[in-house]
Each structure stands twice: as structure tokens, then as C-alpha cells.
Amino acid sequence: MGPAGIQLLFAGTIFSSAFLLFLVQPLIAKQILPWFGGSAAVWSICMVFFQVVLLAGYAYSDWITRHLRVRAQAALHIVLLLASLAFLPIVTSARWKPTGAEDPTLWILGLLLGTIGLPYFLLSTTGPLVQSWVARTPWGAQVYRYFSLSNLASLLSLLSYPVLIEPRSSLLQQAHGWSWGYGAFVALCCGTTLYVARRWADVPLQQASGDTAAVPEKPPRTADYLLWLALPALGSWLLLAVTNHITQNVAAVPFLWVLPLSLYLLTFVLCFESDRWYRRGVFLTLAAAMLLLCAFGLQDRIGVYVKTALPIYVIGLFALCMFLHGEMARLRPGPRYLTRFYLMLSLGGALGGVAVGLVAPHVLPAYYELGIGLVLTALVAAVVLRGRRWLSVASVAVAGCCAWFLLLQVRDDTVDARTLQRNFYGTLVTLDRQKDDPADSVRRMFHGSVKHGEQFLLPARRSEPTSYYGRTSGIGRAIAAAPAGPRRVGLIGLGAGTLAGYGRAGDVYRVYEINPQVFDLADTEFSFLRDSPARIERVLGDARLALEREPAQGFDVLAVDAFSGDSVPIHLVTAEAMEVYLRHLRPGGIVAFHVTNRFLALAPVVAKIAESKGLHAVLVHDDTADTAWLLDTDWVLVAREAEALAREPVGAAASAIAPVAGARPWTDDFNNLLGILK
């Protein structure tokens, strides 16, 4: 094999491993998302798992390159590669479905370990291990360019999934396609391993040269190890914190995590491709400006407006990661300490991910990790720049400003809040809004930036429906159109409990809610549930999983109103979910989908599913411009019989739903979010 062929073999192995490594992340997360209420926290937990397993892979690579000869490395690695084929295909087993009593964090971690643990581990070892072998070849001086190549492959994989793969294939097809790709990777990696063991086993490491030799080939100092740890830790911290912020508080689009992760990877590609991309003077100035702007944006002044906040945090993440990863690239060692460098890089990334994904939800009452991350980044900059006193002092001053803005954010969150709580499912806030007319004063519940209901404080008005649930809304009309006798109503998603205010003596309202804190707040902060004449039944856990297990409930109306951010969780808007709902519906009953959304056009999705099942669907748009305590809403009402949707007061407000050309009905195996962006 010629030099070009050998380099192509190394490059192909590293590229394919990185491409598959990042392709499996959205694929597996999408498989398990429906089992945990469609919560955005599922992705954060998955990210923590991926980072920890990546750390384990880098630790493995570092250990075997230091303690085993090349031929022993090859033998061990080939055995593990072949053993990992037993995990294929990567289709999550139904035995992992939660019952609702488990800790979702631990359950997700166990599920991922049992489904993709060993294949993901082997993919994560490939980059540093193959690069350690490359360092023995005449091309060893170019070794860090392979790291840049691996990040480029990860970036291409990440971008191709929502644009090319997700809209054109089902989840099962994706899982099987990935599994075949992994099988090809195993064959390629085994070939590379055997070739190295035969051709380069006794060749010593090459001395790095050129622009890739940032420091001499000498043992790293303790300060180097600490910076190798701190810089990637803060990059990972900011990635997850910015993702949480823009999906929870700015634009609650379920796939918006792709954008920050893409920029995060791009900074690795640029900083390790060569030294010409990172210019300290340019990015140091830009990073300082974006630190201050991002910290200022944490307040309500600009923090929740898409046109201002989204660009600020996206550009800010890029600038800060360019600084962090650029400084890390300046500190990279020669080939002798390459695997140790990657191990520390991975350990730092895992620590940052664990801090934001696992620790913060349990110790911080709201999303304050972004502000904390900004302060820490400025302080680390002061350490990195300690050789230039005035720059170090300026960095400390920037850290002080960021800390001040963080304190203002905490003050803004707490000064009017009656309660501020956080768990796996996000942050819940209740607060009172006093109006000039006391009769109009209300108590509100928010999940992130999304209102989840409100109630009048005046006792005489407490049972009056508000926000999304007025009597002229789709759900208000559906309940009014139900039979005059005792009604049985199902509520998927509780919020403040407003819909219980429609209950009458003899009615039964059965509430499905995945977040126990919502039940607590509905009981302690609002009175809809306890004031309702209806009998209230409670089911804690994911609504769809509960409905799948329960006998038929015979609902007259079933309201699907389980918001996650600003969108109904996808697993509640599929053909299979519709089958579950229909089993629990009485003849003449109505399923009401709340599809009010700033970013996604969900009405055609529900209509297409209804059409595929031979059902009837109408849209009820409620324009409430003249009523301050009501919001404009869109509800899609679905029924087996057209007559059910013609009953008053539904018929008077019902309108047809315009179909989307070429749209396919969503299933548990297929959905296309990009296709319904407004």
C-alpha cells in the first residue's frame, strides 16, 4: 500500500468513527424521547452519557498505549470490536419502557448503557488510538489534523441528520442503517489495526514539528494538566447551558440543540486544523464583549426575544468556544503525551456536562448555570493570561460584571416569585400580577418562558377559565358540546388545573401529569382542582404510557395539552398515539389537541394523522384580542363521527385545515420537524 493509501486508511477509519459517533446521538435520543414525556432534559442526560463514555474511551486509549505493545493493543482492540457486534441492531427494547416510578436520570443512563454502550465506547476510542498509531508513521507531525478531521466528520454527521436522514427515513430504518454502517466500520478498523500491528509495531513515536508543535516534547506541568481540564470543561459547560437557555427561554424548538452543538464542533475543527484560525487578539476581544452581552441578556430585557437573544447566544457560544479551544490548541503537547492530552480534554468535557446536566437541576432552583459559566470563563481567562498583567486584571473585571448581571437575574426571578422550583422536567415559577382593578389580578404558572395557566385572585372569579382555556377556545367548546349528563373528561397535562373549572357535580376529570411538582403547585398555589365539583382522578407519569396500560376510560373529551417548552411532545402526536386515544373515547367523543405554537405548524400534522385513520378533524382558532385574560389559541378537534364536530358550539367556530403537499402522517417511527417550521 502506497503512502497515499495508508493515509487514506487512517483518515477513513477516524472519519467513519466520528461520523457514526455523532449520528447515533440524535438517533438513540429520538428513540427514547417518547418514554420520558418528550422532555428537553432527555437530551441533556444523553449528552452526559455520551461525554462520560467518551471519557472512558479516551482513558482506555491512554492506558493501552502506555502499558501494552502495539501488537497486544491490536489483539485486545479487535476482540472488543467483534464483541460489540452483539449489540446490533441498536433498537431500544420495550423492556426499558419506564413505569413512571423510576428516577428518569438513572433509568436513561442504564438504558443507553445496555443499548449502545460498547459500540459507542469503541467508536470513542478510535480517534486517540489511531492517532497514537499515526504518530509512529512518517506523517506523525500531522497528527493533530486527524483530530480536526474527526470533528469535521462529527459536524457533518450532526447536520446531515435533521436535513437529510430524519425527513427521509423511519427510526427503524435509521437504526438498521446505522448498524450496517457500524459493521462496515468494524471491518475497516480491524483492517487498520492489523496493518499497524504488522507494519509499524516496532517503530518509535515521531517527534512533532512545524506548526503542530505548540510546546516541546517534555513532561507537561501541573498547570498544563489543570488547563487541559478547565478549558474543555468550560466549553462543554457553555454548550449545554446555552442550549438549555435558548430551548427553555428563547425559542422552544425541539431540535434547536443542533445549532449550538454544530458551532461547538466547528471551533474544534478550526482550532486544531492549524494555528492560522485562532488569533488570540481578535478572539480575546470578541470573547470579552460577548461575555458581557450574554450576561446582560440573562435579564428579561432581551433574554426572551428570539430576534435579539438567539443571535447573541449563538455568536457568544462560538466566540467563547473559539477562545477556550484555541487556548487549548496552543497548549497541545507532542505525540508522546497525545493520548494523555485527549484524556484530560475528555475528562474536562465530561465534568462540564455532569455539572450542567446532572448537578445543576438538583442544586440550582432555576437556570443559573449559564451565568455561572460566564463568570468561570472570565476567571479562567485571567489565569490563561496571567503572564500579561493588564489583560488578566481586565478578565477579572469582566468576571465581576458577569457576576453582577447574574445577581440581577436571580433578583428578577425571585423578587416577584411566590415559588421557584426545578427538577428533571425544567423550572416552574408561580407569581402574582396585580392590576389596577383588583378584580383582574391573577396568579400565573410558568414553565421556562411558557405560561402554563393562570387564575384570578378574586374569590368570585377563581373558577373562571383563563389563558388558553376560555369558553370560546377549542377545548371550551368541545366540553360544552359533550352530552348533558355526567361527563368523563381526560386531561393530558395539568398546568394550573384550569380545565377542572369546567367540572360539574357528577363529572369525572382524570388528569395525566408527568411532573410531580406540577401536581404540588396546582394544589398549593391554585384552587381549580379543590374547588371543582367534579371528581378529580390523578395519574402520575407519562400520559401515553399510562393510557396504554389502562382499560378503556370512556372519555367524552380527551384534551392533549402536555406542553414541553412551546410544543406538544412528538410522541403524543403520532398515528399510534391516536389509536391509543380512540380506544379510550366513547362514541361521539372528541380528542382535542392544543396546537398553539409560535414556531411549528402542528394543525396539518394532526389533520394528516386523522385522515390516515379515517377520522374527521377541524381547527378552532380563538381570537381573544378584546379579552385581556385570554390568549389567542389553536385547537384541533378530532372525532370518529363528523356529527360530533358539527354539534354546537363547536360547529359555529370550526374550520377546515389546509393540507401540506407531500406530507406523511407522523408515526412513532417517523416525523419531520423541519417540514412544519413556520
Side-chain angles (χ1 to χ4, degrees):
M1 185 182 296
I6 297 172
Q7 292 186 69
L8 186 62
L9 179 65
F10 288 138
T13 304
I14 289 175
F15 187 94
S16 61
S17 70
F19 191 89
L20 290 169
L21 189 77
F22 266 75
L23 188 61
V24 76
Q25 295 182 16
L27 193 160
I28 201 72
K30 191 173 177 181
Q31 286 189 43
I32 69 173
L33 194 65
W35 296 353
F36 299 91
S39 170
V42 173
W43 175 246
S44 295
I45 301 303
C46 289
M47 282 290 289
V48 171
F49 172 84
F50 299 142
Q51 289 174 320
V52 171
V53 176
L54 187 70
L55 169 62
Y58 280 24
Y60 162 88
S61 299
D62 181 65
W63 188 87
I64 69 169
T65 55
R66 291 180 176 278
H67 295 87
L68 300 180
R69 295 181 180 275
V70 173
R71 289 190 176 89
Q73 296 174 30
L76 173 61
H77 204 61
I78 288 174
V79 168
L80 291 176
L81 284 167
L82 296 177
S84 69
L85 296 175
F87 282 72
L88 304 182
I90 55 161
V91 179
T92 51
S93 171
R95 67 186 176 86
W96 284 105
K97 280 190 176 183
T99 63
E102 308 89 351
D103 181 307
T105 298
L106 296 178
W107 197 256
I108 290 171
L109 294 175
L111 184 159
L112 293 172
L113 185 64
T115 303
I116 60 167
L118 189 55
Y120 195 88
F121 171 80
L122 268 300
L123 288 171
S124 69
T125 66
T126 304
L129 188 59
V130 173
Q131 287 177 62
S132 73
W133 295 338
V134 171
R136 298 176 179 276
T137 72
W139 312 285
Q142 306 293 320
V143 66
Y144 281 106
R145 288 194 170 182
Y146 286 95
F147 181 64
S148 179
L149 175 67
S150 70
N151 282 283
L152 177 61
S154 300
L155 178 60
L156 293 176
S157 173
L158 183 68
L159 295 177
S160 68
Y161 184 80
V163 176
L164 300 176
I165 297 173
E166 185 181 38
R168 292 173 172 81
S169 58
S170 68
L171 271 176
L172 189 61
Q173 290 171 332
Q174 294 168 29
H176 283 287
W178 188 93
S179 299
W180 280 105
Y182 182 78
F185 158 76
V186 168
L188 180 63
C189 194
C190 285
T192 302
T193 305
L194 290 172
Y195 183 81
V196 168
R198 185 176 70 251
R199 177 66 178 82
W200 305 102
D202 300 319
V203 178
L205 293 171
Q206 302 294 312
Q207 175 66 41
S209 62
D211 69 350
T212 60
V215 295
E217 187 81 323
K218 61 183 180 181
R221 302 165 300 169
T222 301
D224 294 327
Y225 279 110
L226 292 176
L227 287 175
W228 289 355
L229 191 69
L231 292 170
L234 284 171
S236 174
W237 181 307
L238 292 176
L239 167 65
L240 286 181
V242 168
T243 302
N244 283 340
H245 182 76
I246 63 178
T247 54
Q248 291 286 342
N249 299 304
V250 179
V253 180
F255 49 75
L256 197 55
W257 52 264
V258 171
L259 182 58
L261 184 54
S262 299
L263 294 175
Y264 172 83
L265 291 173
L266 179 60
T267 61
F268 271 118
V269 174
L270 296 177
C271 292
F272 284 87
E273 193 277 331
S274 81
D275 291 337
R276 69 179 182 271
W277 295 107
Y278 177 64
R279 294 286 184 264
R280 174 183 270 188
V282 173
F283 282 102
L284 191 60
T285 302
L286 181 59
M290 296 313 300
L291 275 172
L292 295 173
L293 193 54
C294 288
F296 177 74
L298 294 174
Q299 301 166 83
D300 289 339
R301 296 186 184 95
I302 62 173
V304 297
Y305 297 107
V306 176
K307 292 182 180 179
T308 52
L310 190 57
I312 286 173
Y313 290 106
V314 167
I315 295 171
L317 179 66
F318 176 76
L320 295 174
C321 284
M322 279 298 294
F323 165 71
L324 294 167
H325 297 158
E327 292 298 328
M328 190 161 53
R330 288 167 62 96
L331 294 169
R332 62 192 184 276
R336 182 180 302 278
Y337 298 98
L338 178 144
T339 56
R340 180 61 51 86
F341 174 69
Y342 286 147
L343 175 61
M344 297 303 292
L345 186 155
S346 179
L347 176 59
L351 290 176
V354 167
V356 176
L358 298 184
V359 178
H362 294 286
V363 300
L364 299 177
Y367 286 98
Y368 299 136
E369 53 265 37
L370 178 53
I372 296 172
L374 298 175
V375 174
L376 292 176
T377 300
L379 292 176
V380 166
V383 175
V384 171
L385 302 169
R386 62 192 181 279
R388 304 175 67 176
R389 180 176 297 274
W390 74 271
L391 287 177
S392 183
V393 171
S395 298
V396 173
V398 171
C401 292
C402 291
W404 172 252
F405 287 128
L406 174 60
L407 291 175
L408 292 180
Q409 180 197 7
V410 175
R411 186 202 64 182
D412 290 343
D413 286 348
T414 57
V415 66
D416 293 326
R418 290 177 52 82
T419 63
L420 183 62
Q421 300 181 9
R422 182 179 179 185
N423 64 6
F424 174 83
Y425 301 102
T427 297
L428 291 170
V429 180
T430 63
L431 50 86
D432 291 347
R433 283 289 178 259
Q434 303 292 339
K435 303 295 180 68
D436 293 337
D437 184 350
D440 293 335
S441 298
V442 294
R443 179 168 298 165
R444 294 172 174 172
M445 177 191 290
F446 286 88
H447 177 266
S449 62
V450 180
K451 187 190 296 184
H452 275 222
E454 66 181 24
Q455 185 176 31
F456 286 110
L457 296 177
L458 191 68
R461 302 190 68 185
R462 282 181 182 169
S463 62
E464 188 172 337
T466 57
S467 61
Y468 311 101
Y469 313 106
R471 299 192 185 279
T472 54
S473 67
I475 185 61
R477 292 174 184 271
I479 293 175
R487 299 165 181 164
R488 190 167 179 85
V489 177
L491 307 178
I492 297 179
L494 174 62
T498 311
L499 287 175
Y502 283 98
R504 309 166 305 168
D507 292 348
V508 175
Y509 277 61
R510 188 171 179 84
V511 182
Y512 300 86
E513 173 57 55
I514 197 170
N515 188 347
Q517 288 185 352
V518 173
F519 272 129
D520 293 341
L521 292 180
D523 286 334
T524 58
E525 294 292 296
F526 302 90
S527 65
F528 288 116
L529 294 182
R530 65 176 178 268
D531 291 345
S532 177
R535 186 173 86 242
I536 306 297
E537 298 178 347
R538 305 172 185 233
V539 180
L540 179 63
D542 180 75
R544 180 167 164 189
L545 295 180
L547 288 166
E548 287 174 353
R549 293 189 295 262
E550 291 178 346
Q553 295 296 313
F555 293 126
D556 295 293
V557 178
L558 177 60
V560 183
D561 184 37
F563 278 78
S564 178
D566 198 32
S567 171
V568 175
I570 292 170
H571 71 294
L572 299 179
V573 196
T574 66
E576 293 84 352
M578 188 71 80
E579 289 286 353
V580 175
Y581 304 151
L582 292 175
R583 184 172 67 84
H584 291 277
L585 212 61
R586 284 180 181 168
I590 293 175
V591 184
F593 292 86
H594 192 181
V595 297
T596 308
N597 197 284
R598 292 173 290 172
F599 308 107
L600 303 177
L602 288 166
V605 174
V606 178
K608 191 66 179 179
I609 295 170
E611 178 188 348
S612 71
K613 297 294 181 183
L615 307 172
H616 302 273
V618 297
L619 174 67
V620 176
H621 173 73
D622 190 22
D623 188 344
T624 61
D626 297 331
T627 310
W629 59 88
L630 296 177
L631 299 172
D632 293 353
T633 58
D634 292 312
W635 288 81
V636 174
L637 308 184
V638 178
R640 294 188 182 92
E641 307 87 1
E643 295 77 14
L645 302 178
R647 294 196 302 258
E648 295 301 335
V650 172
S655 61
I657 302 171
V660 176
R664 292 168 51 186
W666 284 10
T667 66
D668 288 349
D669 213 28
F670 170 83
N671 62 71
N672 180 12
L673 285 168
L674 283 178
I676 62 169
L677 272 178
K678 290 184 178 178

